[in-house]
């Protein structure tokens, strides 16, 4: 079994971070350019450009994902590290290989084309960044911890040569002390002649040839002028001795003459109103790129204040910037788990969007009944629909429908609740904003699915549906339900029942939602609500008390009281366990009530944070918080003994969970895994990492189309390839007629056609005219017409010369037929011999096509 972050798999104790931010990016140089490899000062993502293919590498937890920039498909997942991957670099001496380092203390060398691990170098200490130089063939640079947890140093690691797959690499050489662990704060310049590192208010430059270090300090006084001088990032000019640094106050400083601590100079560029997140020079050094929280990519041409261009509205904070060595592409990674590929003219060309990471997930995890997509909070004010099968975002639904202003001091409108109902025909959302305790802005919206537009359209908007915060909402999704019903619970002590009614004019074509019933219980706060599977009962919790209501008359049927704290979760059993109701209290008590006897069936001490029922079985998954992590329990309400227990599924708190029905059920024979046969369980952690359980490795999860794309991209994309290389073996499914005996006509393979072979082998400068080649090429693709006989193939009637083998075969066949006829009819051994002229005349009649007679 594996626990995996969508859509990659990792071992049960830890999975990759699909919600993790894409870290730094860098480009691979084009292989057709004869140019030296530059020092690389970026780590966690790479774009590879070759004459016929482009890849981008990004770190996803303890995995490395390989994407195609042309199709945005994931073509490989490199799995091998046992902890968070902190840096990746292409091998400067072999651009088909990739280095990676991890907190697990290892450096691994990969063949990313085939997804194969070549070597593992065990360093023995935590590694936080990785750098390579072209002239340092047998060593790499890493950032490591010293004795104190917040003190890091840059060191050189010698990679010994050996035929073994696992090698000890314990030889470390100190380079710089007191550096930042972030790879954005270290940069190599002038083809590895020096390295610059920034931290706090200090800039350190180490010269490898001189083996000397110069340090520069900015003022750290707390007055307004110098309050935010902190360094945030650094990059080096590709051709000149120039260092660019970004700062917390939004300024960019260009340092020169830094080889002398007294004669150094710097100039300032200022446009960003907040801290500069990353910097990158173009290939020629004629322009400087910067990005920050404004979601705008700024290009400073000639490093001048007046000459700057902008690419705005990129959607989220720019965290990392990279430039291709050819200079034709830029790349940015963003805080919402997105990578944007940009052309040199500042036009976005492609976007690789992962699961959007929001500030907080209020809506929980839901499944869209129509698309089977995972639905949760996305961009501010949006719901994101994410395909778990293809690991892609389908679309965003704008709920709040207001422009988002990125200001930390501004109180935003939050999307807090959402629920699907009626087989995906309706969607209910709740949004709120509260600047003061007495100023609550609350709004509930109901969206109807439109088949024509294939999306949700706003149907009803209710201002202030309750007087206080809404704590829960749910639809009645019973199959035999005659009308659509929605229930909301609130801290104002009430729950309300909303029904779909006729809200039309004289044409009777419009519907809307209206409040049908308001219920309460001793003025207690309503905290949870849920319907039974058949929709006949409604359970509403009021602090420590659970109330059961008849959904037909809205009469109170019974109550359950559990003096162990407020009810945190409620859910009914399903199928054969539909007579049970389960509840979890804040004090860590899991209770199961029998609705037939109206008594407590069983209870246990368990600090449950997530409880989710499987819609396709009686199973219920509960995740409990322990001192070392989170534990999973799978059980049936009718049996107190769990079916499956998995300790420490992750080290952090789990906030949400959901069962996703499978399109094709699995057939696990083991009793421990049978709960995964019909549905797959996903859960979201506090750091917004989405994990699931799987028995497949990451490479097996990739779609066949991705692997086929990877193979096809390895073919040379010559003009002849586009003309001829796409032809494949094809067959026609229609029958020609009964005489052809259901045989299929097959197009010839292009590689076996002499005309095409000659076209590809002949040098271009000696080829005949294009008109002659075109006619020859078209004629070679024409199919020959077949006659009724499956043994004989028609020849041209005007052809004089025929092969001797064909003549002899036909003569023998004809002679045998005549002999059989004579033996049968005349019972004589005499064979009548035809003359040559008679045989030729007879052949002409045999070659005439009489198939038209069958159509009469």
């Amino acid at each position: 079994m594996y626990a995996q972050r969508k859509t990659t798999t990792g071992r049960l104790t830890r999975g990759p971070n699909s919600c993790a931010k894409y870290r730094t990016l860098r480009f691979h140089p084009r292989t057709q350019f004869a140019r030296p490899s530059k020092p690389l000062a970026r780590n966690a993502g790479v774009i590879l450009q070759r004459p016929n293919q482009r890849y981008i590498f990004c770190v996803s937890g303890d995995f490395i994902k390989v994407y195609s920039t042309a199709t945005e498909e994931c073509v490989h997942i490199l799995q091998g590290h046992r902890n968070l991957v902190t840096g990746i670099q292409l091998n400067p001496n072999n651009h088909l290989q990739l280095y990676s380092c991890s907190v697990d203390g290892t450096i691994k060398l990969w063949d990313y084309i085939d997804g194969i691990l070549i070597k593992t170098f065990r360093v023995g200490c935590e590694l936080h960044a990785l750098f390579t130089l072209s002239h340092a063939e047998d060593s790499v640079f890493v950032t490591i911890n010293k004795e104190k947890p917040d003190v890091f140093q840059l060191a050189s690691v010698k990679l010994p040569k050996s035929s073994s797959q696992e090698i000890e690499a314990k030889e470390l050489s100190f380079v710089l002390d007191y550096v930042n662990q972030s790879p954005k704060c270290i940069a190599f310049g002038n083809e590895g002649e020096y390295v610059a590192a920034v931290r706090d208010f200090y800039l350190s430059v180490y010269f490898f040839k001189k083996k000397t270090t110069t340090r520069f300090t900015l003022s750290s006084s707390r007055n307004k002028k110098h309050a935010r001088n902190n360094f945030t990032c650094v990059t080096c000019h590709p051709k000149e001795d120039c260092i660019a640094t970004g700062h917390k106050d939004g300024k960019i400083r260009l340092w020169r003459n830094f080889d002398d601590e007294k004669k150094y100079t710097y100039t300032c560029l200022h446009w960003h109103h907040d801290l500069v997140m990353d910097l990158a020079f173009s290939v020629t050094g004629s322009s400087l790129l910067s990005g920050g929280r404004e979601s705008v990519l700024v290009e400073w041409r000639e490093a001048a204040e007046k000459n700057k261009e902008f690419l705005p509205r990129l959607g989220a904070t720019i965290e990392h910037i990279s430039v291709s060595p050819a200079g034709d592409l830029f790349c940015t990674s963003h805080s919402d788990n997105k990578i944007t590929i940009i052309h040199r003219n500042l036009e976005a060309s492609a976007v690789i969007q992962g699961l959007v990471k929001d500030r907080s997930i209020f809506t929980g995890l839901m499944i869209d009944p129509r698309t089977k997509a995972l639905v949760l909070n996305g961009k501010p004010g949006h719901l994101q629909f994410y395909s778990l099968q293809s690991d892609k975002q389908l679309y965003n639904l704008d709920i709040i429908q207001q422009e988002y202003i990125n200001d930390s001091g501004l109180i935003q409108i939050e999307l807090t609740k959402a629920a699907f109902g009626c087989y995906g025909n309706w969607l209910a959302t709740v949004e709120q904003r509260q600047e003061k305790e007495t100023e609550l802005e609350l709004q509930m919206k109901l969206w109807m699915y439109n088949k024509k537009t294939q999306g949700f359209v706003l149907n009803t908007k209710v201002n202030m549906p309750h007087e206080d915060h809404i704590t829960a909402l749910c639809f009645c999704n019973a199959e035999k339900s005659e009308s659509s019903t929605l229930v909301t619970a609130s801290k104002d002590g009430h729950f309300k029942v909303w029904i779909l009614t006729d809200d039309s004019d004289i044409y009777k074509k419009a519907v809307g939602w209206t409040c049908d019933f308001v219920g309460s219980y001793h003025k207690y706060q309503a905290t949870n609500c849920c319907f039974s599977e058949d929709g006949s009962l409604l359970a509403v919790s009021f602090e420590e008390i659970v109330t059961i209501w008849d959904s037909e008359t809205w009469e109170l049927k019974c109550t359950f009281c559990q003096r162990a704290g407020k009810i945190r979760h409620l859910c009914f059993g399903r199928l054969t366990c539909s007579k049970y109701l389960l509840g979890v209290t804040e004090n860590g008590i899991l209770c199961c009530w029998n609705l037939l006897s109206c008594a407590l069936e069983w209870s246990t001490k368990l600090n449950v944070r997530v409880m989710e029922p499987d819609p396709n079985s009686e199973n219920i998954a509960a995740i409990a918080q322990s001192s070392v992590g989170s534990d999973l329990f799978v059980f049936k309400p009718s049996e107190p003994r769990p079916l499956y227990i998995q300790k420490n599924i992750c080290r952090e708190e789990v906030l949400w969970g959901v069962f996703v029905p499978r399109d094709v059920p699995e057939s696990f024979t083991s009793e421990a895994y049978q709960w995964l046969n019909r549905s797959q369980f996903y859960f979201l952690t506090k750091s917004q990492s989405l994990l699931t359980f799987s028995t497949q490795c990451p490479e097996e999860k990739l779609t066949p189309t991705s692997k086929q794309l990877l193979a096809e991209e390895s073919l040379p994309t010559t003009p002849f390839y586009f003309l001829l290389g796409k032809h494949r073996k094809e067959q026609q499914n229609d029958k020609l007629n009964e005489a052809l005996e259901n045989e299929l006509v097959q197009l010839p393979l292009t590689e076996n056609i002499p005309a095409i072979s000659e076209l590809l082998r002949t040098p271009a400068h000696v080829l005949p005219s294009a008109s002659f080649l075109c006619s020859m090429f078209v004629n070679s693709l024409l199919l020959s017409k077949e006659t009724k006989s499956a043994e004989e193939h028609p020849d041209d009637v005007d052809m004089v010369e025929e092969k001797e083998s064909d003549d002899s075969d036909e003569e023998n066949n004809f002679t045998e037929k005549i002999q059989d006829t004579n033996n049968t009819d005349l019972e004589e051994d005499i064979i009548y011999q035809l003359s040559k002229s008679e045989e030729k005349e007879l052949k002409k009649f045999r070659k005439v096509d009489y198939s038209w007679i069958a159509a009469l």
Side-chain angles (χ1 to χ4, degrees):
M1 288 289 293
Y2 293 87
Q4 67 173 26
R5 287 178 173 85
K6 187 65 195 150
T7 57
T8 55
T9 51
R11 299 224 172 255
L12 202 56
T13 55
R14 183 173 181 81
N17 188 359
S18 181
C19 283
K21 305 171 184 177
Y22 290 111
R23 295 175 177 82
T24 40
L25 311 169
R26 72 173 173 80
F27 286 83
H28 184 289
R30 292 182 181 270
T31 55
Q32 70 266 32
F33 283 27
R35 59 190 302 174
S37 298
K38 297 190 300 180
L40 301 170
R42 296 294 182 262
N43 278 273
V46 185
I47 283 187
L48 164 65
Q49 294 181 330
R50 298 177 64 189
N52 61 329
Q53 58 192 11
R54 296 177 180 179
Y55 298 126
I56 181 169
F57 304 85
C58 69
V59 171
S60 181
D62 48 6
F63 291 169
I64 302 168
K65 292 184 177 180
V66 184
Y67 286 94
S68 168
T69 58
T71 63
E72 305 167 22
E73 292 282 344
C74 181
V75 295
H76 271 309
I77 299 176
L78 307 181
Q79 177 190 15
H81 286 290
R82 297 182 179 179
N83 209 327
L84 185 69
V85 178
T86 54
I88 54 177
Q89 290 287 330
L90 286 166
N91 186 352
N93 302 305
N94 187 345
H95 289 158
L96 300 180
Q97 296 177 355
L98 181 76
Y99 282 111
S100 65
C101 74
S102 169
V103 180
D104 62 9
T106 62
I107 299 174
K108 294 183 181 294
L109 180 63
W110 307 85
D111 177 356
Y112 59 82
I113 295 296
D114 297 324
I116 299 174
L117 176 62
I118 301 175
K119 287 185 183 296
T120 299
F121 301 94
R122 295 192 299 270
V123 181
C125 57
E126 293 185 357
L127 308 177
H128 299 275
L130 177 67
F131 309 92
T132 58
L133 294 177
S134 58
H135 61 79
E137 298 182 0
D138 59 345
S139 62
V140 296
F141 294 87
V142 295
T143 302
I144 61 175
N145 269 108
K146 293 188 70 176
E147 293 82 4
K148 297 181 180 179
D150 195 34
V151 178
F152 301 89
Q153 66 178 11
L154 180 67
S156 173
V157 180
K158 186 175 181 180
L159 304 179
K161 295 182 179 180
S162 174
S163 59
S164 302
Q165 189 171 5
E166 290 194 10
I167 309 169
E168 294 285 342
K170 301 294 186 179
E171 186 176 345
L172 277 70
S173 302
F174 166 78
V175 178
L176 267 178
D177 199 2
Y178 195 72
V179 299
N180 197 306
Q181 72 178 91
S182 172
K184 295 189 295 185
C185 295
I186 299 175
F188 291 81
N190 202 3
E191 298 187 0
E193 289 189 1
Y194 60 88
V195 56
V198 296
R199 175 168 178 167
D200 299 333
F201 299 93
Y202 304 98
L203 168 63
S204 303
V205 183
Y206 177 80
F207 298 90
F208 288 96
K209 293 183 179 179
K210 300 179 182 179
K211 295 184 179 180
T212 59
T213 303
T214 58
R215 298 183 184 274
F216 308 95
T217 306
L218 294 178
S219 175
S220 58
S221 60
R222 295 187 178 181
N223 56 42
K224 293 184 179 181
K225 185 177 180 180
H226 304 105
R228 304 173 65 196
N229 274 340
N230 311 62
F231 288 93
T232 57
C233 54
V234 63
T235 188
C236 297
H237 196 283
K239 297 182 178 180
E240 301 176 3
D241 288 339
C242 176
I243 299 175
T245 59
H247 299 266
K248 194 174 181 180
D249 58 0
K251 292 181 180 180
I252 301 172
R253 288 179 170 85
L254 300 176
W255 301 75
R256 301 181 185 274
N257 300 327
F258 45 80
D259 55 343
D260 193 331
E261 295 183 357
K262 297 182 179 180
K263 297 182 180 180
Y264 75 93
T265 60
Y266 66 79
T267 58
C268 287
L269 305 174
H270 196 186
W271 178 86
H272 299 277
H273 79 277
D274 209 336
L275 76 163
V276 180
M277 297 297 295
D278 200 11
L279 295 168
F281 275 104
S282 63
V283 175
T284 60
S286 59
S287 60
L288 176 67
L289 300 171
S290 64
R293 293 180 177 174
E294 303 85 3
S295 305
V296 178
L297 180 65
V298 185
E299 181 182 9
W300 308 82
R301 298 184 177 177
E302 303 299 334
E305 183 81 25
K306 298 180 180 179
N307 301 330
K308 53 182 178 289
E309 298 290 337
F310 304 95
L311 178 60
R313 293 182 292 277
L314 291 178
T317 299
I318 298 175
E319 294 197 337
H320 305 282
I321 305 172
S322 182
V323 181
S324 69
D328 58 342
L329 290 177
F330 303 147
C331 191
T332 58
S333 67
H334 302 262
S335 60
D336 63 346
N337 203 23
K338 176 179 63 180
I339 292 177
T340 305
I341 302 172
I342 304 167
H343 282 299
R344 183 63 183 82
N345 58 356
L346 294 185
E347 291 184 0
S349 63
V351 174
I352 300 176
Q353 177 68 69
L355 194 64
V356 176
K357 186 174 182 179
D358 197 10
R359 292 176 298 176
S360 55
I361 306 298
F362 294 110
T363 61
L365 303 181
M366 301 169 290
I367 299 298
D368 181 10
R370 290 183 174 271
T371 62
K372 301 298 186 295
L374 180 68
V375 183
L376 67 161
N377 288 101
K379 298 192 300 183
H382 291 69
L383 282 177
Q384 61 172 321
F385 289 70
Y386 196 84
S387 172
L388 296 170
Q389 290 75 24
S390 60
D391 198 13
K392 287 184 177 180
Q393 185 184 93
L394 300 181
Y395 63 95
N396 278 291
L397 179 61
D398 189 358
I399 302 297
I400 295 179
Q401 299 179 341
Q402 291 186 9
E403 189 69 24
Y404 178 76
I405 301 175
N406 188 3
D407 190 346
S408 58
L410 183 64
I411 298 177
Q412 308 286 350
I413 300 177
E414 299 287 352
L415 176 60
T416 57
K417 300 292 180 183
F420 285 96
C422 307
Y423 307 101
N425 295 326
W426 291 97
L427 169 66
T429 60
V430 176
E431 56 196 64
Q432 67 180 31
R433 180 180 181 273
Q434 187 172 17
E435 192 167 354
K436 298 180 181 179
E437 292 185 3
T438 58
E439 298 179 1
L440 175 64
E441 300 176 16
L442 196 63
Q443 196 172 70
M444 183 174 69
K445 296 178 180 178
L446 291 113
W447 308 74
M448 182 175 63
Y449 185 80
N450 191 318
K451 294 182 179 180
K452 293 183 179 180
T453 61
Q454 295 293 303
F456 287 94
V457 180
L458 182 61
N459 175 267
T460 304
K461 181 167 62 174
V462 182
N463 290 318
M464 295 302 297
H466 287 271
E467 297 179 359
D468 206 341
H469 297 275
I470 293 179
T471 57
L473 75 163
C474 64
F475 279 94
C476 179
N477 292 324
E479 296 181 0
K480 298 181 180 180
S481 178
E482 297 180 357
S483 60
S484 301
T485 305
L486 172 69
V487 175
T488 58
S490 172
K491 290 183 178 180
D492 62 3
H494 297 89
F495 73 92
K496 293 186 178 181
V497 180
W498 308 80
I499 60 173
L500 185 63
T501 59
D502 183 10
D503 190 27
S504 63
D505 49 14
I506 59 175
Y507 299 102
K508 303 293 182 181
K509 291 184 178 181
V511 293
W513 291 80
T514 183
C515 183
D516 182 62
F517 178 77
V518 180
S520 62
Y521 188 81
H522 295 293
K523 297 183 180 180
Y524 291 145
Q525 291 184 354
T527 55
N528 291 276
C529 61
C530 64
F531 279 96
S532 60
E533 185 180 13
D534 59 358
S536 61
L537 297 177
L538 170 68
V540 182
S541 63
F542 292 89
E543 298 183 8
E544 298 179 350
I545 300 173
V546 179
T547 58
I548 307 298
W549 305 75
D550 187 346
S551 62
E552 293 290 336
T553 61
W554 301 117
E555 293 182 357
L556 180 62
K557 291 296 184 181
C558 64
T559 61
F560 300 110
C561 182
Q562 183 65 34
R563 299 296 181 182
K566 294 182 179 180
I567 302 296
R568 180 185 292 170
H569 299 289
L570 272 181
C571 74
F572 279 93
R574 301 184 64 86
L575 301 178
T576 61
C577 298
S578 59
K579 65 179 180 179
Y580 297 103
L581 174 66
L582 294 103
V584 176
T585 68
E586 291 183 348
N587 295 339
I589 302 296
L590 173 60
C591 304
C592 179
W593 293 281
N594 191 320
L595 298 175
L596 299 181
S597 62
C598 296
L600 181 66
E601 187 78 8
W602 54 266
S603 65
T604 182
K605 179 70 174 178
L606 196 64
N607 187 18
V608 177
R609 297 302 179 94
V610 174
M611 184 171 63
E612 286 293 326
D614 183 0
N616 293 338
S617 69
E618 299 91 348
N619 300 326
I620 292 180
I623 298 180
Q625 184 72 21
S626 64
S627 58
V628 294
S630 298
D631 304 328
L632 173 67
F633 300 87
V634 180
F635 63 93
K636 293 182 180 180
S638 58
E639 302 175 6
R641 183 179 179 181
L643 302 174
Y644 178 78
I645 299 176
Q646 178 62 51
K647 294 288 187 178
N648 196 22
I649 57 175
C650 64
R651 299 178 182 177
E652 53 184 329
E653 181 182 357
V654 177
L655 300 181
W656 304 101
V658 67
F659 275 97
V660 181
R662 296 184 186 272
D663 296 332
V664 179
E666 296 287 350
S667 57
F668 298 123
T669 57
S670 174
E671 294 183 0
Y673 303 146
Q674 286 182 359
W675 65 281
L676 292 171
N677 280 340
R678 297 182 180 180
S679 302
Q680 191 171 1
F681 184 62
Y682 290 82
F683 55 96
L684 189 73
T685 65
K686 191 174 184 179
S687 63
Q688 298 189 20
S689 299
L690 182 66
L691 297 96
T692 187
F693 291 86
S694 176
T695 57
Q696 293 178 317
C697 66
E699 285 292 310
E700 294 175 351
K701 297 288 289 184
L702 295 180
T703 59
T705 55
S706 301
K707 293 183 175 293
Q708 181 181 359
L709 173 69
L710 182 65
E712 289 183 353
E713 286 184 347
S714 62
L715 300 176
T717 53
T718 61
F720 290 130
Y721 167 79
F722 289 111
L723 178 64
L724 309 175
K726 293 289 185 180
H727 289 281
R728 294 290 183 266
K729 185 179 180 179
E730 298 179 357
Q731 292 182 343
Q732 295 181 352
N733 296 326
D734 299 335
K735 298 178 180 179
L736 294 177
N737 49 43
E738 295 180 0
L740 293 177
E741 298 178 351
N742 299 328
E743 291 185 358
L744 297 177
V745 177
Q746 178 177 312
L747 292 176
L749 296 177
T750 57
E751 55 265 24
N752 296 329
I753 299 177
I756 298 178
S757 301
E758 291 296 328
L759 178 65
L760 296 176
R761 286 201 298 261
T762 308
H765 66 280
V766 297
L767 283 174
S769 62
S771 59
F772 177 79
L773 291 175
C774 182
S775 60
M776 183 176 64
F777 170 69
V778 172
N779 290 332
S780 66
L781 297 179
L782 295 178
L783 296 175
S784 61
K785 187 176 181 181
E786 298 181 2
T787 61
K788 290 168 53 178
S789 174
E791 298 178 357
E792 299 176 358
H793 297 277
D795 299 326
D796 193 345
V797 294
D798 296 330
M799 182 181 295
V800 179
E801 297 182 0
E802 299 180 6
K803 295 182 180 180
E804 296 180 359
S805 61
D806 296 337
D807 288 340
S808 85
D809 293 338
E810 291 174 357
E811 290 177 1
N812 293 336
N813 294 337
F814 183 75
T815 303
E816 290 174 1
K817 291 180 181 179
I818 295 297
Q819 185 177 359
D820 294 339
T821 303
N822 293 336
N823 290 337
T824 304
D825 299 337
L826 303 178
E827 297 182 355
E828 296 179 359
D829 296 330
I830 302 175
I831 301 175
Y832 178 74
Q833 298 292 337
L834 297 176
S835 63
K836 291 186 178 180
S837 60
E838 291 175 342
E839 289 179 359
K840 289 184 179 180
E841 194 69 17
L842 189 59
K843 288 180 181 178
K844 290 182 180 180
F845 283 99
R846 287 209 312 266
K847 294 175 182 177
V848 177
D849 187 7
Y850 294 100
S851 61
W852 56 273
I853 299 177
L856 296 179

